[in-house]
Amino acid sequence: MTMEHPEFVKEQKRLADTVHYMDYILQSSKQNLQAAQDNIRSAMANLEYIDSSDSFLNILTNTRFFEMARNQKEGLEAVRQKPYFARIHFQRDGEDEEFLYIGKTSLFHSDTHEPIIVDWRSPVANVYYDGRLGDLTYDVRDEALSGHLFSKRQYKIEHSKLLDFRDVDLTTNDELLQEALEGKADVRLTEIVSTIQKEQNEIIRAHLRQPILVQGAAGSGKTTIALHRISYFLYTMGEHFKPEQLMILAPSQLFIDYIGDVLPELGVDKICQTTYAEYVQNATGIKLKLQNPNDQLEKIIASQSENLDTFIISKEKGSKLYQNIMDRYLQRYEQQLADLFDDVYIEKYRIMQGSYLKKLFLIEFQYMPIEKRIERIKKVIQTEVKRKSTAVLSTLNGRYEEAIGRALNGIRDDEKRRRIVTKFIDERDERIPKIKQEAKTTASLYMRKFQKAKIKPMYRDIITNRILLNELAPEWTLEEVEQFVQAHQKEQWVVEDLAALLYLHAKTKGIDDKWKMRVVFIDEVQDYSLFQLAALKAGLETDMFTMVGDLAQGIHSYRALTEWAPVLELFPRATYATLQKSYRTTIEIMALANQILEQMEEDLPLVEPVVRHGKEPEFFLQDTFDLQVIQDTYARIRANGHRSIALICKTTKETEVLVKQLQNAHLPAQLLDEKSGIDQERLLVLPSHLAKGLEFDAVIVLAFETPYFDHAIDRKLLYVALTRAMHELYLIGPSRETFLL
């Protein structure tokens, strides 16, 4: 028992002192926040460069903590309850030994500048995550530092009280991880910092200015890694990037709510969190009534075929070829605009040559979106008109002066001289103001022929005009073109159209600064098509993407990715990493899920569960549906102390019928859809496709109306359903074959 450990009292005192100091800082931050900020400002202004290191430390001391005190009362409260989770006894080469306590934020002593808590994202914390005991090296700003690690200690702290601690070597199969894994689903995500594993840590801290693609097995912590990489990114690169310039693309609103508690605790609550559909509509200003993509999925499930025309078209719209079709259209459109450039005149004087403007448009400004080029050319014309009209007026004035002078001196006849001089003066007085006036509007009138593009009608023209489509898609047969055009006669918008709309908008108008994200994190990236990723990359003009996904869970494979090679071609600078360990499920549950994984067409290695045993999955085989079995099973799971319990059916239709029956039997059930908030106190009923990305303490998989067939998408849906369970899994249906076993 750790309480008998000779250092237990010492550790208790260390924790009490830390909490006491935090309370002191909190108190003074409330009272002296303004004063502190003023002091920081004046200290900044009066920095003596000779002694800048101390002054600078003074300024930095507690500023992070002050920020936290001001912005995140809840976050701070959480940190106060668990100030740190680990300690390293470490000696840097050439320096004294030190004990560093690692937590979710940093805290320095205001007098001694000694670190009380070291932030988990700091370089030295890497020693805890990656280092074995003994001599080691770690990186600080691309410089390798070395030292000696004497020990690692992990703490179990709750409500600011020390319950336990233990010394470990690796953080892999230790008890703290086991405890975290045995915990409840609703606290798992927020507690992961203390148990990040070596292979996860490498991905979190991988080169931040380069893209990364992660193939991660179900339960390997993909989402967690993406969230912690964001936190690490802002910690390390915060001075170059604002949180508002970072974007998380999540599969659904339900998922955004699910991760909602984690982000503020990691100090990253200002980040744009959205779905691809929502982002495209915001970034382009195009409002669409989109068909629910899950309706399409349900159609495939019902038809058991991915070879229907609509699904062939869905696949086509996500392809590289479809991007080529859009590029050909844009080239054609660009050429039509280029042909409108003719010479610019003021009166009869040529100010600029059309061929020069055409060259600016097609070559010099080619790096800009089309309409931005036109705006730039208008400015070029305005500048040139201003410059040359001054020269024209000066030349004209000179000529008139000369002509009037000649008439005055060369014509003897008074009447004739008066008439000719008057004619010249009148002509000059009429012509020169006219030219001045014309010069003011020359550029605007000239540019009037360049109409602004309307993206929606433009795209509708591409997909409904067979003559145009024949020209743009020579790879398609006449029959395929006809099929495609017929499918779009009725105006209906689907998710697959978004990539083309974003791409056309980006290339013609450009993305507004507010939506020009510099760094993108994509979860469930296997559900994106290649063109969706290409449109995003082209529109944002960055390749700083962190993409995590699992091909085994690619339930939208009829319109999305089925392999990673094309993504790595699209992002040539990307590193590729795999995570094969599952931290979510027990060995027994994973063994069952791996039987489904083995049946998949994708050549994916089996998932290795972290050593944690639990109950064997239970089968209830019945010929007819019996509500009582669900009620009894639910009661048993609750009695085992589990809170989040999900009942997963294959289709939405089944869930709707089932929830009514459960509610009539007075069982507290909640039907989850994309917009639901999760109520842990009720039995959560949801279709298999919505369960992706979520996890629950216990799962009941039900299959009566629609069994899982031996078909690519069904295998993936079943795999998703089975791998949601952390501790207990129950399967209810007429036979084991219903679950492809």
Side-chain angles (χ1 to χ4, degrees), residues 445-456:
L445 289 170
Y446 181 86
M447 301 312 286
R448 209 177 260 175
K449 57 193 164 203
F450 298 96
Q451 298 293 314
K452 286 228 187 299
K454 291 190 171 69
I455 303 297
K456 218 154 111 178

Side-chain angles (χ1 to χ4, degrees), residues 306-516:
E306 289 184 45
N307 298 323
L308 305 175
D309 293 350
T310 36
F311 306 131
I312 291 168
I313 288 170
S314 294
K315 193 85 178 159
E316 209 63 76
K317 283 182 179 175
S319 68
K320 180 83 179 92
L321 172 61
Y322 205 58
Q323 184 181 350
N324 293 345
I325 291 171
M326 297 305 138
D327 279 331
R328 287 169 197 152
Y329 177 84
L330 287 162
Q331 274 170 341
R332 187 176 177 277
Y333 176 61
E334 195 179 56
Q335 200 50 57
Q336 286 169 345
L337 291 175
D339 292 342
L340 297 175
F341 286 106
D342 48 15
D343 296 347
V344 182
Y345 286 92
I346 291 182
E347 205 195 44
K348 61 183 180 187
Y349 295 95
R350 185 168 71 187
I351 301 290
M352 295 185 90
Q353 285 188 321
S355 58
Y356 171 68
L357 294 174
K358 193 171 181 171
K359 185 181 165 218
L360 285 183
F361 179 71
L362 289 175
I363 299 162
E364 304 296 330
F365 298 157
Q366 212 248 335
Y367 64 94
M368 300 163 84
I370 289 170
E371 288 180 6
K372 295 265 190 287
R373 290 183 233 171
I374 289 171
E375 282 166 28
R376 177 69 69 85
I377 287 170
K378 183 180 179 181
K379 285 190 177 132
V380 169
I381 295 173
Q382 281 169 332
T383 308
E384 199 60 6
V385 164
K386 203 172 184 178
R387 191 172 72 79
K388 287 205 174 153
S389 62
T390 310
V392 165
L393 290 169
S394 168
T395 307
L396 269 181
N397 265 322
R399 282 186 193 162
Y400 277 115
E401 290 300 324
E402 210 177 291
I404 290 165
R406 272 203 312 272
L408 286 170
N409 298 325
I411 301 172
R412 295 223 173 98
D413 181 333
D414 286 354
E415 183 53 39
K416 191 178 177 188
R417 187 174 61 229
R418 194 175 59 75
R419 200 173 66 247
I420 286 173
V421 168
T422 306
K423 179 176 153 278
F424 280 143
I425 289 171
D426 287 350
E427 194 178 298
R428 182 194 65 189
D429 290 352
E430 187 185 350
R431 197 173 169 195
I432 283 181
K434 221 179 209 169
I435 289 173
K436 279 183 181 168
Q437 197 51 43
E438 196 182 321
K440 286 179 189 168
T441 57
T442 302
S444 301
L445 289 170
Y446 181 86
M447 301 312 286
R448 209 177 260 175
K449 57 193 164 203
F450 298 96
Q451 298 293 314
K452 286 228 187 299
K454 291 190 171 69
I455 303 297
K456 218 154 111 178
M458 189 187 248
Y459 180 61
R460 283 288 298 159
D461 188 36
I462 297 171
I463 61 179
T464 56
N465 180 337
R466 48 178 71 71
I467 297 164
L468 176 60
L469 201 53
N470 268 322
E471 181 194 324
L472 298 176
E475 296 89 343
W476 289 354
T477 63
L478 287 172
E479 191 189 348
E480 284 170 329
V481 169
E482 188 55 42
Q483 204 178 25
F484 193 88
V485 169
Q486 281 304 322
H488 293 99
Q489 289 310 301
K490 193 173 166 208
E491 188 176 326
Q492 275 185 330
W493 297 94
V494 289
V495 167
E496 295 87 293
D497 292 316
L498 294 170
L501 289 168
L502 178 64
Y503 193 72
L504 290 171
H505 183 91
K507 295 285 185 184
T508 49
K509 297 173 182 293
I511 304 291
D512 190 84
D513 281 350
K514 185 184 175 200
W515 299 104
K516 196 96 176 248

Side-chain angles (χ1 to χ4, degrees), residues 32-100:
N32 309 329
L33 190 58
Q34 196 51 54
Q37 284 172 324
D38 294 343
N39 288 346
I40 287 168
R41 272 192 213 100
S42 62
M44 279 287 196
N46 305 326
L47 257 185
E48 290 292 335
Y49 287 101
I50 309 124
D51 183 31
S52 70
S53 59
D54 271 2
S55 321
F56 194 60
L57 256 175
N58 237 325
I59 291 164
L60 287 182
T61 300
N62 300 315
T63 47
R64 265 188 202 283
F65 202 75
F66 266 125
E67 275 300 299
M68 210 169 174
R70 195 176 67 215
N71 297 336
Q72 301 173 328
K73 297 274 187 291
E74 303 79 11
L76 195 68
E77 196 45 44
V79 172
R80 187 191 173 280
Q81 294 199 12
K82 191 176 291 194
Y84 45 82
F85 51 79
R87 182 194 85 177
I88 52 174
H89 176 190
F90 183 59
Q91 184 174 22
R92 294 181 181 90
D93 282 359
E95 294 187 24
D96 295 338
E97 291 177 32
E98 54 187 341
F99 291 98
L100 297 173

Side-chain angles (χ1 to χ4, degrees), residues 271-298:
I271 285 175
C272 172
Q273 300 170 56
T274 183
T275 61
Y276 193 86
E278 206 179 311
Y279 173 74
V280 171
Q281 293 183 69
N282 283 327
T284 60
I286 299 170
K287 289 287 164 263
L288 298 169
K289 195 168 178 2
L290 278 180
Q291 273 187 303
N292 186 332
N294 293 322
D295 294 349
Q296 275 173 291
L297 182 63
E298 301 254 355

Side-chain angles (χ1 to χ4, degrees), residues 13 82 193 218 229 238-239 256 267 272 324 362 366 405 447 493 528 575 632 699 709:
K13 185 176 181 320
K82 191 176 291 194
V193 183
R229 187 163 160 82
E239 62 211 60
I256 291 170
C272 172
N324 293 345
L362 289 175
Q366 212 248 335
M447 301 312 286
W493 297 94
Y528 286 66
T575 38
D632 294 347
V699 169
F709 296 104

Side-chain angles (χ1 to χ4, degrees), residues 4-253:
E4 284 140 28
H5 194 288
E7 288 185 25
F8 192 79
V9 174
K10 195 171 145 193
E11 287 286 12
Q12 267 183 319
K13 185 176 181 320
R14 172 49 161 87
L15 177 61
D17 290 348
T18 303
V19 173
H20 181 71
Y21 189 71
M22 283 176 134
D23 288 340
Y24 161 72
I25 291 288
L26 254 175
Q27 212 38 50
S28 51
S29 77
K30 279 178 200 154
Q31 293 161 3
N32 309 329
L33 190 58
Q34 196 51 54
Q37 284 172 324
D38 294 343
N39 288 346
I40 287 168
R41 272 192 213 100
S42 62
M44 279 287 196
N46 305 326
L47 257 185
E48 290 292 335
Y49 287 101
I50 309 124
D51 183 31
S52 70
S53 59
D54 271 2
S55 321
F56 194 60
L57 256 175
N58 237 325
I59 291 164
L60 287 182
T61 300
N62 300 315
T63 47
R64 265 188 202 283
F65 202 75
F66 266 125
E67 275 300 299
M68 210 169 174
R70 195 176 67 215
N71 297 336
Q72 301 173 328
K73 297 274 187 291
E74 303 79 11
L76 195 68
E77 196 45 44
V79 172
R80 187 191 173 280
Q81 294 199 12
K82 191 176 291 194
Y84 45 82
F85 51 79
R87 182 194 85 177
I88 52 174
H89 176 190
F90 183 59
Q91 184 174 22
R92 294 181 181 90
D93 282 359
E95 294 187 24
D96 295 338
E97 291 177 32
E98 54 187 341
F99 291 98
L100 297 173
Y101 288 76
I102 299 164
K104 284 185 189 171
T105 184
S106 56
L107 177 63
F108 294 89
H109 199 289
S110 55
D111 299 330
T112 64
H113 308 313
E114 289 295 311
I116 297 170
I117 307 170
V118 173
D119 195 296
W120 70 273
R121 296 164 291 194
S122 64
V124 74
N126 231 354
V127 171
Y128 164 69
Y129 291 117
D130 278 4
R132 298 293 304 253
L133 301 188
D135 293 335
L136 50 76
T137 57
Y138 65 101
D139 285 343
V140 179
R141 294 189 190 85
D142 297 331
E143 186 191 343
L145 300 183
S146 42
H148 186 86
L149 180 61
F150 297 96
S151 71
K152 285 185 193 183
R153 181 168 285 182
Q154 294 177 337
Y155 300 94
K156 188 178 179 188
I157 297 170
E158 275 173 27
H159 307 300
S160 312
K161 294 275 179 286
L162 179 64
L163 304 181
D164 200 357
F165 68 79
R166 57 184 72 92
D167 292 321
V168 296
D169 182 352
L170 271 173
T171 59
T172 313
N173 284 328
D174 54 46
E175 295 164 60
L176 188 72
L177 175 63
Q178 292 296 332
E179 247 173 60
L181 298 181
E182 282 159 16
K184 300 282 171 266
D186 49 346
V187 296
R188 274 282 307 289
L189 268 177
T190 55
E191 285 316 314
I192 201 84
V193 183
S194 52
T195 58
I196 292 167
Q197 302 305 296
K198 186 172 168 45
E199 73 273 18
Q200 295 174 324
N201 187 43
E202 278 165 8
I203 293 167
I204 290 169
R205 295 175 193 250
H207 199 304
L208 291 172
R209 286 193 179 273
Q210 264 173 267
I212 185 167
L213 172 65
V214 182
Q215 156 62 43
S220 59
K222 295 183 295 295
T223 303
T224 306
I225 287 167
L227 297 178
H228 285 77
R229 187 163 160 82
I230 295 168
S231 180
Y232 178 62
F233 185 92
L234 282 174
Y235 178 85
T236 314
M237 313 272 274
E239 62 211 60
H240 308 294
F241 295 87
K242 295 195 191 95
E244 294 84 350
Q245 296 174 311
L246 274 64
M247 172 165 74
I248 300 173
L249 286 179
S252 65
Q253 193 54 49

